[in-house]
Amino acid sequence: MSTLATNPKLTTNQDLDPDRLREAFGFFPSGVVAVAAEIDGRPVGLAASSFTSVSLDPPLVSVNLAVASKTWPALRTAPRLGVTVLADHHAAVCRQLAGPVAARFAGVAYTVAAGGGITIDDGLARFDCTVHREVDAGDHVLILLELQAVDHVDRSSGQGPLVFHHSGFERLEPTVRT
Ligand SMILES: Cc1cc2nc3c(=O)[nH]c(=O)nc-3n(C[C@H](O)[C@H](O)[C@H](O)COP(=O)(O)O)c2cc1C
């Protein structure tokens, strides 16, 4: 079997079909966040693994949502959005937040901030955000969120993140630092 290291030739002009891209992207592990807000008295939100920290000044993060998302058009109208970095015990909550809209928050413990942003309880970090900018990005929209408030658990608690990798959930194994 050749690896990228033993086979330096990366063929150009390939047929980059979505399945092939998804498979390759799956090698890149990521955390997962919940993006949510209360709209007309109801919780609205979704799970996103595309979260990235972007800038410290101004404080920006990004998520990348499908143009086809039925939830984003509603979420983007909220004055504040809550973003929660999910913990490794949140796998079921995460699946739920990506599933049928009517049941996304059923039985999920969450908190509504003053501006309506929703954060999932027992997450690792949470952000209260406003939408800074939206950038067209193919079949997705790159959404820059400006942070208005930040909170996180104590690192010494040893709690780990939910890790999304090859379409499944994993947790980080603590390693011994040398
Ligand atoms: C682990 C995980 C990560 C996800 N990450 C994203 C993401 O980054 N961007 C996105 O558009 N959808 C993502 N989804 C799918 C959304 O959570 C949701 O299912 C999708 O937006 C369809 O619902 P909607 O039409 O209500 O938006 C993810 C789902 C899971 C389970």
Side-chain angles (χ1 to χ4, degrees), residues 16-102:
L16 300 180
D17 70 85
D19 287 345
R20 188 170 187 171
L21 289 173
R22 222 174 268 123
E23 183 73 17
F25 291 165
F27 283 94
F28 187 70
S30 58
V32 192
V33 298
V35 185
E38 193 171 63
I39 298 172
D40 296 333
R42 291 175 183 221
V44 174
L46 47 71
S49 58
S50 53
F51 174 88
T52 305
S53 57
V54 173
S55 164
L56 297 177
D57 184 17
L60 299 174
V61 299
S62 69
V63 287
N64 209 10
L65 297 182
V67 168
S69 169
K70 294 194 182 76
T71 297
W72 179 242
L75 264 186
R76 69 190 294 282
T77 67
R80 293 288 176 105
L81 298 176
V83 172
T84 311
V85 177
L86 298 179
D88 53 15
H89 58 79
H90 277 137
V93 168
C94 179
R95 268 188 216 99
Q96 201 174 318
L97 287 170
V101 171

Side-chain angles (χ1 to χ4, degrees), residues 147-171:
L147 306 183
Q148 307 297 334
V150 180
D151 189 17
H152 61 82
V153 296
D154 194 331
R155 270 183 69 184
S156 65
S157 69
Q159 297 178 74
L162 185 62
V163 177
F164 191 58
H165 186 216
H166 286 309
S167 307
F169 295 120
E170 297 179 13
R171 59 178 67 206

